[in-house]
């Protein structure tokens, strides 16, 4: 029987008057006594890992984790932390959080994005507070912060810092000792001023990382309360605007106070406001307040945060923290972290390895964040106040709109916090209800990545959400006429199954991302019994084949007139502004078909050729994206590449790459994260690398197996009974790194993958380990699954009703054939179209408007009646053509015959080898019908076959030269 432990309960405060202790049950199961040399998980966390930028590297994204050593609880709303400043180049000087080489602190803010990119446009850092120990002249600050805020920045030394999960402190150069801790929605801080001299706190309310358009501060000296709000822009400054509210109480009376605004300071004033609806401005530091205490004061502040109102911020503070002192709140936060970190208990490992592992686990649990207040209210994506269902939480901050999160971090949460995962899924459902779309605001990255998160977590057992509503929204938003999709160039993609390279904006990688999105939708549809939607989206899941170039055997940008074979796949940009691969190169993106790697490997020339190509990629594990053939494992698109070796029957090579990666790219230094952690995604990847399993088939909870890097691992998810996973790998400590055998729940298996039932039900994995590779996992039947359904389906909607040109596109210029004109010419749905004198008769596709009616060839199999035939012909046309390729006739005896296929341009008269079988005047466009021009559908001249053999099927060309080929039907003489 699998090893079991009792479940615990994860509870952030939900509309109940309870202390922080109610966040998580404290009825913990005692862990086995660890060896004296082992660091406990809590003590192993080093919050300074990832805080230093490695300026010696130029990988196109920062070689910088952009983490912070602040105070937060798992998935909490508040992240109380210092933000640093370093004079000099902005690349290092004013990072979005904490940069280790800096020697100045800008202040202590309440919010932080851990690991975000967008240099110079970082979000967060709401309501920074600066302790000032200098003299005030007539109760007025010596320098106006609105014009010279840098004069108040604080010198410090790392020797005077301390950080634990949920806690940070520093002794500043000005003599002030600052301490930070937090509950879910409240920051609790202490400021111990020098015995002599003034004790002042500057409240730089308009001073977050990104631009602000307004703020308000109100001082109430009678209640020792300061409250207000800031209106600003979110991370990356790309159009997501929001308001945050705060309410702070202090345990000491105010000796004096005042406000500043636009170069003027007013002592004794209790209110300041500056705001506009003009989001082109930047009001940073323009307004704020100061409060002064008795000389040498030691002040404790409690600041509630809310995205709804000042009143809610105050209620969050009072109900979460109340009268509890700093030490009590710190202890509660520590207990939460100890429980969270115990979800994965590992035995063995050096102090350094345990430090990097548990620090990574810590970082992976910082996001996403609850947005509901203790009374259940939250501000929805529709800017209306909603109330979350009792017992649940509403989450926001999905890294990169899910682009970063779906590749590792979401799965780690699903593995360890199933209830949080279900609440994440329900939060996403609420997003779709409030907006009618799947975009959580202005897009930061491409793809409907939240759909992948929902489907993946669902398969991992996070099903306590409205699954039917999620699927209904997926299906209804991802169909023609593409008016509800938020996918960039969604109309072209949904109609043609590709995005031409001239669209730019990383068009080629978007086809790969959208294919993954569609696969995820198909998998959810299958689980819910929706066969029709499953078929539709599995066909779209194979759209990656439309950008696979059979001549160069690589995923490549495609123009309407053919593949761009001059594009340098080594680069992120081609120098002409036509970026084709988002944050990576074509070599790195060339393996991003996680749901059908078997087909990709076959198209790349088979196992040997693919292994050679993957070996080249792995020669450099973190080369970046500037003129490189190497990998980029510090960025998300390459995350799954090590496990591709499992499909190549070489799991030992995956193990070698993973060991190299964790040893070469990660360490315990401040620069020990190789890239932006993106709210925990790099850290989650690092954790999975050690577990010996990785959920690389996005949209499912299937686990691909490598080799554990600890001898014993217990995964004990919070809030569920009998779902723990126990992993044993004896000998790892002695250098036995290769898996040579595996038992899943005591049953031996050679397959290098485990389906999601293990995650949903728990169980045991017993690994046999060796210092040298064996034959385990190298058989043809040992490879992980590839999902080929939909490969042979029609993939282009090329005919539209008059007046509804938005229901299809044939030529990538939004033009389509009129269904009414086709019917008038004899090509109504299901009509029979003979080629005179040949015995060949085609059937016009009987398809509904807005659904695929022809094939853009990539090697699809077209099954035919098993009959003997003298000849075969193809019904179709080319856009921006002509277009030629080679089809393959498959006989029932297993033999094949290659048949050249060439189809003329639909706007040109028939050329040699073609007969215009259907001719129409005019065509449709999204802008409306046009009666100009004559357009044709051709039949190719019948190609002779072996009359003594029975035709089984025809394989369409793997691709075509010049224009885009479209095939409506294939027929043989007598069929």
């Amino acid at each position: 029987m699998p090893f079991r432990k009792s479940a615990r309960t994860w509870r952030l405060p939900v509309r109940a008057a309870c202390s922080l202790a109610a966040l998580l049950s404290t009825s913990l199961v005692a862990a086995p006594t660890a060896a004296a040399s082992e660091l406990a998980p809590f003590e192993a966390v080093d919050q300074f890992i990832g805080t230093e930028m490695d300026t010696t590297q130029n990988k196109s994204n920062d070689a910088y984790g952009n983490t912070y050593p602040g105070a937060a609880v798992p998935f909490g709303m508040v992240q109380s932390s210092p933000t640093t400043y370093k004079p000099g180049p902005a690349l290092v000087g004013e990072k979005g959080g904490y940069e280790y080489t800096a020697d100045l602190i800008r202040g202590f803010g309440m919010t932080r994005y851990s690991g975000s990119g967008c240099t110079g446009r970082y979000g967060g850092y709401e309501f920074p507070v600066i302790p000032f120990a200098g003299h005030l002249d007539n109760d007025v600050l010596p320098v106006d912060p609105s014009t010279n805020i840098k004069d108040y920045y604080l010198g410090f030394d790392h020797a005077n810092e301390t950080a634990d999960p949920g806690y940070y402190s520093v002794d500043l150069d000005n003599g002030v000792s600052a301490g930070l801790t937090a509950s879910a929605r409240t920051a609790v801080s202490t400021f111990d001023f020098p015995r002599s001299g003034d004790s002042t706190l500057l409240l730089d309310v308009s001073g977050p990382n990104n631009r602000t358009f307004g703020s308000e501060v109100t001082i109430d000296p009678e209640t020792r309360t300061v409250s207000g709000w800031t209106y600003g822009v979110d991370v990356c400054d790309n159009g997501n605007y929001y308001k945050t509210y705060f309410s702070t109480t202090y345990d000491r009376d105010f000796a004096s106070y005042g406000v500043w605004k636009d170069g003027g300071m007013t002592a004794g004033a209790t209110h300041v406001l500056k705001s506009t609806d003009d989001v082109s401005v930047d009001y940073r530091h323009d307004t704020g307040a100061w409060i002064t205490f008795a000389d040498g004061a030691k002040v404790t502040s409690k600041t509630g945060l809310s995205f709804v109102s000042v009143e809610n911020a105050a209620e969050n503070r009072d109900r979460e923290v109340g009268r509890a002192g700093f030490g009590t709140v710190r202890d509660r936060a520590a207990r939460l972290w100890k429980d969270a970190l115990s979800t994965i208990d590992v035995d063995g490992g050096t102090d350094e390895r345990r430090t990097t592992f548990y620090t990574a686990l810590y970082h992976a649990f910082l996001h996403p964040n609850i947005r509901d207040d203790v009374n259940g209210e939250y501000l929805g994506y529709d800017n209306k106040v909603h109330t979350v269902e009792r017992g649940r939480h509403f989450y926001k901050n999905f890294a990169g709109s899910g682009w970063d999160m779906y590749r590792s971090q979401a799965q780690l949460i699903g593995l360890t916090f199933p209830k949080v995962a279900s609440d994440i899924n329900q939060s996403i459902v609420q997003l779709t209800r409030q907006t009618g779309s799947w975009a959580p605001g202005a897009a930061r990255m491409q793809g409907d990545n939240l759909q992948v998160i929902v489907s993946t977590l669902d398969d991992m057992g996070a099903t306590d959400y409205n699954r039917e509503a999620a699927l209904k929204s997926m299906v209804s938003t991802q169909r023609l006429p593409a008016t509800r999709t938020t996918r960039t160039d969604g109309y072209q993609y949904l109609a043609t199954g590709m995005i031409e390279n001239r669209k730019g904006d990383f068009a080629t990688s978007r086809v790969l991302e959208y294919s993954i999105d569609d696969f995820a939708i198909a998998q959810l549809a299958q689980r819910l019994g929706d066969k029709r939607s499953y078929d539709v989206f599995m066909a779209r899941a194979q759209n990656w084949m439309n950008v696979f170039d059979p001549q160069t055997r690589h995923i490549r940008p495609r123009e309407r007139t053919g593949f761009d074979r001059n594009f340098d796949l080594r680069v992120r940009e081609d120098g002409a502004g036509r970026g084709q691969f988002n944050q990576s190169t074509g070599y790195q993106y060339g393996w991003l078909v996680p749901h059908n790697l078997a087909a990709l490997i076959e198209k790349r020339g088979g196992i040997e050729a693919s292994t050679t190509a993957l070996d080249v990629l792995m020669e450099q594990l973190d080369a970046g994206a500037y003129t490189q053939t190497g990998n980029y494992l510090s960025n998300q698109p390459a995350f799954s590449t090590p496990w591709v070796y499992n499909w190549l029957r070489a799991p030992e090579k995956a193990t070698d790459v993973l060991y190299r990666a964790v040893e070469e790219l990660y360490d315990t230094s401040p620069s020990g994260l190789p890239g932006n952690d993106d709210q925990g995604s790099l850290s989650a990847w690092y954790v999975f690398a050690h577990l010996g399993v990785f959920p690389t088939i996005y949209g499912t909870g299937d686990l691909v197996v490598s080799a554990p890097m600890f001898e014993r691992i217990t995964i004990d998810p919070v809030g569920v009974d009998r779902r723990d996973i126990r992993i044993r790998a004896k000998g790892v400590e002695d250098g036995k790194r290769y898996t040579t055998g595996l038992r899943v729940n005591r049953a031996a298996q050679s397959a290098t993958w485990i389906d999601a039932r293990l995650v949903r039900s728990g169980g045991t994995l017993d690994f046999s380990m060796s210092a040298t590779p064996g034959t385990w996992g190298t058989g043809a039947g040992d490879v992980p699954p590839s999902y080929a359904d939909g490969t042979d389906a029609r993939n282009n909607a090329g005919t539209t009703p008059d007046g509804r040109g938005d229901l299809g596109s044939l030529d990538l210029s939004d033009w389509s054939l009129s269904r009414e004109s086709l019917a008038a010419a004899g090509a109504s749905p299901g009509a029979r179209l003979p080629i005179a004198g040949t015995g060949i008769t085609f059937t016009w596709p009987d398809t509904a408007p807005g659904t695929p009616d022809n094939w853009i060839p990539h090697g699809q199999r077209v099954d035919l009646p098993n009959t003997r035939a003298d000849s075969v012909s193809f019904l179709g046309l080319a856009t921006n053509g002509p277009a030629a390729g080679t089809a393959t006739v498959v006989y029932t005896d297993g033999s094949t015959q290659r048949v050249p296929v060439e189809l003329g341009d639909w706007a040109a008269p028939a050329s040699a080898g073609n007969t215009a079988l259907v001719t129409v005047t005019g065509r449709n466009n999204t802008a409306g019908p046009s009666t100009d021009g004559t357009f044709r559908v051709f039949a190719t001249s019948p190609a002779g076959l072996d009359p003594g053999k029975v035709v089984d099927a025809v394989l369409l060309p793997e691709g075509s030269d010049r224009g885009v080929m479209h095939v409506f039907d294939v027929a043989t003489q007598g069929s």
Side-chain angles (χ1 to χ4, degrees):
M1 292 291 293
F3 177 81
R4 306 291 185 191
K5 292 201 295 187
S6 63
R8 292 149 296 152
T9 302
W10 172 259
R11 288 184 60 239
L12 289 164
V14 186
R15 301 163 65 183
C18 57
S19 68
L20 182 60
L23 288 174
L24 197 62
S25 169
T26 56
S27 57
L28 307 183
V29 176
T33 302
S37 61
E38 289 190 352
L39 281 172
F42 183 85
E43 283 71 28
V45 173
D46 183 344
Q47 291 169 263
F48 294 98
I49 293 176
T51 60
E52 181 178 353
M53 181 171 180
D54 185 350
T55 57
T56 67
Q57 298 188 61
N58 184 19
K59 298 186 299 188
S60 77
N61 281 32
D62 290 344
Y64 171 50
N66 198 7
T67 56
Y68 63 89
V73 299
F75 314 116
M77 184 185 292
V78 165
Q79 304 84 34
S80 183
S81 176
T83 290
T84 60
Y85 177 78
K86 180 179 180 179
L91 184 64
V92 175
E94 200 157 352
K95 305 303 287 187
Y98 179 103
E99 211 290 320
Y100 195 80
T101 63
D103 57 6
L104 293 173
I105 289 176
R106 291 164 53 195
F108 303 96
M110 285 190 69
T111 63
R112 180 77 76 250
Y113 290 100
S114 181
S116 61
C118 295
T119 297
R121 295 177 293 136
Y122 299 106
Y125 188 50
E126 262 75 40
F127 315 126
V129 175
I130 306 172
F132 175 62
H135 178 67
L136 274 64
D137 186 10
N138 295 322
D139 297 330
V140 175
L141 295 170
V143 176
D144 191 326
S146 66
T147 56
N148 294 288
I149 190 66
K150 292 179 183 179
D151 287 359
Y152 293 102
Y153 289 175
L154 306 163
F156 77 107
D157 190 288
H158 295 303
N160 298 321
E161 292 182 292
T162 301
D164 290 319
Y167 172 74
Y168 170 86
S169 70
V170 59
D171 293 336
L172 299 162
D173 290 355
N174 67 357
V176 177
S177 294
L180 313 177
T181 191
S183 65
R185 305 169 181 87
T186 303
V188 180
S189 309
T190 62
F191 302 98
D192 190 355
F193 288 88
R195 290 183 180 273
S196 61
D198 290 350
S199 304
T200 302
L201 294 177
L202 275 70
L203 312 180
D204 187 18
V205 175
S206 61
N209 279 328
N210 264 349
R211 295 181 302 121
T212 61
F213 320 122
S215 65
E216 182 177 17
V217 183
T218 299
I219 302 171
D220 183 354
E222 292 298 320
T223 60
R224 301 191 300 238
T225 302
V226 179
S227 59
W229 52 264
T230 294
Y231 173 40
V233 62
D234 209 353
V235 63
C236 296
D237 196 356
N238 63 350
N240 295 320
Y241 310 119
Y242 66 103
K243 267 189 176 183
T244 46
Y245 302 85
F246 75 96
S247 177
T248 306
T249 59
Y250 300 87
D251 67 344
R252 296 288 183 270
D253 290 335
F254 303 162
S256 63
Y257 43 84
V259 300
W260 75 79
K261 179 179 179 180
D262 294 338
M265 297 183 291
T266 307
T270 60
H271 179 262
V272 64
L273 168 67
K274 181 179 183 180
S275 186
T276 180
D277 293 328
D278 181 0
V279 294
S280 67
V281 303
D282 187 359
Y283 288 170
R284 269 181 290 188
H285 311 298
D286 286 359
T287 55
W290 71 87
I291 50 178
T292 300
F293 306 91
D295 291 355
K298 182 175 182 180
V299 181
T300 297
S301 66
K302 299 175 180 179
T303 304
L305 178 68
S306 172
F307 292 86
V308 174
S309 66
V310 168
E311 293 74 18
N312 277 17
E315 186 177 7
N316 288 342
R317 177 197 65 230
D318 293 342
R319 288 173 60 178
E320 277 192 354
V321 175
R323 295 177 178 273
F326 183 92
T328 299
V329 177
R330 177 186 176 185
D331 289 344
R332 292 170 178 173
R335 285 200 298 270
L336 286 174
W337 277 114
K338 288 176 181 178
D339 198 73
L341 295 169
S342 72
T343 56
I344 302 182
D345 182 56
V346 301
D347 288 352
T350 64
D351 285 355
E352 181 175 8
R353 182 59 58 87
R354 292 177 68 83
T355 295
T356 53
F357 180 85
Y358 279 111
T359 303
L361 193 62
Y362 165 83
H363 284 144
F365 292 157
L366 289 169
H367 299 285
N369 308 105
I370 60 166
R371 280 295 182 91
D372 52 290
D373 294 325
V374 292
N375 63 6
E377 292 182 345
Y378 69 91
L379 187 71
Y381 291 93
D382 55 0
N383 288 318
K384 297 178 181 178
V385 177
H386 301 265
T387 302
V388 73
E389 181 182 348
R390 188 175 296 274
R392 308 200 71 131
H393 289 298
F394 182 77
Y395 286 91
K396 290 189 75 171
N397 295 345
F398 306 110
S401 303
W403 188 88
D404 304 280
M405 185 179 175
Y406 88 78
R407 303 170 204 261
S408 59
Q409 193 218 0
Q411 294 90 327
L412 187 59
I413 293 172
L415 195 65
T416 53
F417 285 91
K419 187 180 185 306
V420 172
S422 284
D423 280 357
I424 288 171
N425 275 1
Q426 185 61 26
S427 299
I428 294 172
V429 170
Q430 294 303 105
L431 157 70
T432 68
R433 287 174 168 170
Q434 292 162 11
T435 67
S437 78
W438 284 80
R444 298 175 192 158
M445 308 297 289
Q446 283 86 13
D448 270 339
N449 307 295
L450 297 184
Q451 296 168 4
V452 185
I453 290 173
V454 168
S455 182
T456 301
L457 293 178
D458 181 276
D459 199 30
M460 297 180 78
T463 57
D464 184 18
Y465 71 104
N466 195 330
R467 304 171 79 198
E468 292 74 15
L471 179 63
K472 181 179 179 181
S473 179
M474 292 177 188
V475 172
S476 64
T477 57
Q478 306 311 321
R479 64 186 180 192
L480 292 169
T483 54
R484 295 182 60 198
T485 184
T486 52
R487 301 182 187 182
T488 308
D489 298 311
Y491 166 66
Q492 186 175 84
Y493 173 81
L494 296 177
T496 69
M498 70 176 78
I499 304 172
E500 58 182 333
N501 62 348
R502 68 175 62 185
K503 294 286 189 180
D505 194 23
F506 316 112
T508 305
S509 64
R510 279 192 284 130
V511 175
L512 304 181
E513 298 282 3
Y514 295 166
S515 297
I516 293 172
D517 300 338
D518 291 335
F519 171 76
I521 296 171
Q523 295 306 298
L524 182 61
Q526 185 179 54
R527 288 179 223 131
L528 294 180
D530 186 346
K531 177 66 163 56
R532 182 179 180 277
S533 294
Y534 172 79
D535 290 340
V536 168
F537 285 95
M538 277 306 298
R540 289 186 187 167
Q542 311 304 342
N543 281 340
W544 63 271
M545 296 186 184
N546 289 330
V547 290
F548 184 89
D549 177 16
Q551 179 173 313
T552 62
R553 292 184 171 179
H554 209 293
I555 289 166
R556 180 174 291 282
R558 186 172 184 175
E559 176 60 82
R560 61 185 61 180
T561 55
F563 286 96
D564 182 359
R565 296 187 178 115
N566 292 319
F567 186 90
D568 188 347
L569 293 173
R570 300 174 302 160
V571 300
R572 177 177 176 173
E573 276 280 358
D574 69 349
R578 297 182 303 157
Q580 291 296 307
F581 297 98
N582 196 358
Q583 294 195 1
S584 288
T585 70
Y587 282 98
Q588 294 150 4
Y589 256 106
W591 302 95
L592 193 63
V593 188
H595 53 285
N596 199 1
L597 277 166
L600 176 67
I601 289 166
E602 181 181 1
K603 286 180 176 291
R604 295 191 68 142
I607 288 178
E608 184 177 351
S610 296
T611 301
T612 299
L614 191 59
D615 287 346
V616 170
L617 184 74
M618 298 301 181
E619 287 176 359
Q620 295 175 282
L621 296 185
D622 203 29
Y626 290 129
T627 319
Q628 299 290 340
T629 59
N631 212 346
Y632 195 5
L633 279 177
S634 64
N635 208 24
Q636 287 72 23
F639 271 12
S640 62
T641 53
W643 289 272
V644 174
Y645 280 116
N646 286 46
W647 279 264
L648 297 173
R649 307 183 200 174
E652 75 283 355
K653 288 196 169 188
T655 297
D656 287 337
V657 168
L658 293 173
Y659 266 91
R660 285 177 55 203
V662 302
E663 291 166 1
E664 295 175 13
L665 308 185
Y666 295 80
D667 59 44
T668 59
S669 71
S671 61
L673 277 174
N676 296 150
D677 201 22
D678 291 312
Q679 296 176 231
S681 60
L682 260 71
S683 291
W685 183 95
Y686 182 87
V687 170
F688 273 115
H690 283 75
L691 299 184
V693 292
F694 186 76
T696 187
I697 307 174
Y698 308 126
T700 78
D702 296 342
L703 301 173
V704 178
V705 178
S706 53
M709 295 185 185
F710 294 103
E711 289 206 346
R712 288 181 179 270
I713 303 169
T714 300
I715 303 169
D716 187 11
V718 169
V720 292
D721 288 313
R722 303 177 61 81
R723 217 175 105 168
D724 56 294
I725 299 171
R726 185 167 182 171
I727 302 170
R728 305 181 186 92
K730 187 176 181 180
V732 170
E733 293 293 306
D734 299 323
K736 296 180 179 180
R737 66 169 56 183
Y738 299 104
T739 300
T740 56
L742 174 63
R743 288 183 177 272
V744 180
N745 293 331
R746 300 183 181 179
Q749 75 167 51
S750 58
T752 63
W753 69 285
I754 304 163
D755 71 32
R757 285 177 295 180
L758 179 79
V759 180
R760 297 192 296 264
S761 302
T764 58
L765 301 179
D766 290 296
F767 287 81
S768 297
M769 307 300 295
S770 174
T772 56
T775 60
W776 178 84
T778 60
D782 296 337
V783 301
S786 292
Y787 296 81
D789 285 359
T791 298
D792 300 323
R794 289 182 169 92
N795 57 358
N796 173 223
T799 67
T800 60
D802 289 346
R804 292 306 310 272
D806 57 357
L807 290 179
S809 175
L810 196 65
D811 71 340
L812 301 174
S813 295
D814 304 344
W815 292 101
S816 55
L817 289 168
S818 162
R819 292 172 73 94
E820 288 82 357
S821 297
L822 288 168
S828 58
R832 305 279 284 173
L833 302 173
I835 306 176
T838 65
I840 293 177
T841 300
F842 297 103
T843 300
W844 190 255
D846 187 2
T847 59
T851 61
D853 47 39
N854 69 89
W855 292 277
I856 296 176
H858 55 57
Q860 297 97 323
R861 178 186 175 96
V862 181
D863 285 312
L864 297 175
N866 288 0
T867 59
R868 289 182 172 84
D870 293 327
S871 58
V872 63
S873 179
F874 299 80
L875 179 69
L877 54 87
T879 54
N880 297 285
T886 302
T888 302
V889 176
V890 180
Y891 296 107
T892 56
D893 65 0
S895 61
T896 60
Q897 177 182 338
R898 293 172 66 79
V899 176
V901 180
E902 181 165 357
L903 290 165
D905 188 276
W906 64 330
S911 58
N914 279 191
T915 299
L917 205 60
V918 181
T919 301
V920 298
T921 299
R923 55 184 176 174
N924 289 337
N925 189 272
T926 54
S930 170
T931 57
D932 296 335
T934 301
F935 302 91
R936 304 162 182 86
V937 182
F938 304 105
T940 63
S941 297
L945 301 178
D946 187 334
K949 294 185 177 182
V950 176
V951 176
D952 182 22
V954 170
L955 306 182
L956 297 181
E958 289 287 341
S960 58
D961 65 344
R962 296 168 288 178
V964 178
M965 180 183 289
H966 300 261
V967 176
F968 287 90
D969 194 25
V970 181
T972 58
Q973 173 270 327
S975 66

